[in-house]
Amino acid sequence: MNPATPNPPSSPGDAHGVALTERAIASVAADPHRPILDYGPWAGPWLTGEPEPLAAGPLAGAVFPSGRPLPPSLRRWLAFDAGLLRRFGWLDGDGRFTPRSLGELARDEFGDLWGSCFDTVSDRFDECFLLPGGSDSRRVLATGVGDEHGEYPVFALDTDDIPCVELMYPGLDVYLADTSGVITVELDGYSCLARDPAYARRMLTHAGHVFGGGFAEECLPDL
């Protein structure tokens, strides 16, 4: 069985980018107040009321504070709703992006002891955003070099045994599709989508950009 079992797309292109994001939006819109996930702090609803789209004018010219472009999936999601990501600290009250370095985000989530381990890789993960997911671990989108669809990778941060950062999704599009139930990932390790025919190429692209071809890196504090 492939790691990702989709509700069949109408064409191969529907498995990526804006088309896949549209499918995730349709899934959420069908039951917008259902829990994002069924555990921990992520058990809140996708939408707390009506969708809160980002205004078309500001969205049209939006870039990240680094100047990096928004991935197509994020641009499409924000046209549907900005409320979810605002709740998880992506945006301030004026709709401006509020990224953190990986070290800053990890300290906020894990505390100084474990969070400081991720300071050593913060120079490569300087613009990060928290996503729902994980019990003791966390899900983080990090901007950088986009893949063939213009998407940035989503990583798992784990502090079990040796803290590490591991590639988990090739983009927000695939994260949203999995979390909303459009695809089902048969997890066998965080980076299992590297073995999926639909997503292996994109996973390998990000692995090359970030880890020199691997899928994870241990994060040990400077001594």
Side-chain angles (χ1 to χ4, degrees):
M1 182 180 292
N2 291 336
T5 304
N7 298 325
S10 58
S11 70
D14 286 354
H16 303 278
V18 171
L20 183 58
T21 307
E22 292 280 9
R23 295 171 63 203
I25 288 171
S27 175
V28 170
D31 188 6
H33 303 129
R34 76 179 193 263
I36 304 167
L37 294 164
D38 60 1
Y39 60 89
W42 324 120
W46 283 92
L47 274 63
T48 57
E50 294 299 314
E52 302 172 27
L54 203 62
L59 181 57
V63 296
F64 290 117
S66 63
R68 295 167 185 141
L70 272 57
S73 60
L74 176 59
R75 194 173 293 279
R76 177 62 190 96
W77 181 269
L78 289 173
F80 165 64
D81 175 64
L84 172 70
L85 298 182
R86 186 175 282 114
R87 280 155 50 202
F88 288 98
W90 287 52
L91 301 160
D92 65 16
D94 296 319
R96 293 173 297 206
F97 287 102
T98 53
R100 292 170 281 176
S101 72
L102 193 66
E104 292 170 335
L105 189 153
R107 285 173 183 271
D108 289 343
E109 293 299 310
F110 299 130
D112 286 342
L113 178 62
W114 289 109
S116 64
C117 298
F118 296 89
D119 290 341
T120 58
V121 295
S122 277
D123 59 337
R124 279 182 286 138
F125 301 94
D126 61 345
E127 194 171 51
C128 298
F129 300 90
L130 180 69
L131 286 163
S135 297
D136 297 328
S137 61
R138 293 293 184 271
R139 310 289 176 259
V140 176
L141 181 140
T143 73
V145 180
D147 63 18
E148 63 193 276
H149 297 277
E151 296 291 332
Y152 302 126
V154 174
F155 297 92
L157 305 189
D158 201 318
T159 59
D160 188 24
D161 292 330
I162 298 176
C164 70
V165 54
E166 183 166 347
L167 180 62
M168 189 168 183
Y169 298 98
L172 182 67
D173 55 339
V174 184
Y175 165 85
L176 288 170
D178 179 28
T179 309
S180 67
V182 170
I183 63 173
T184 300
V185 176
E186 304 291 342
L187 281 176
D188 181 17
Y190 291 127
S191 54
C192 68
L193 286 178
R195 302 188 300 274
D196 184 88
Y199 301 114
R201 178 173 171 174
R202 293 177 60 190
M203 293 285 282
L204 288 168
T205 295
H206 291 305
H209 290 155
V210 178
F211 298 126
F215 293 102
E217 185 167 330
E218 294 180 354
C219 301
L220 300 174
D222 289 326
L223 300 177

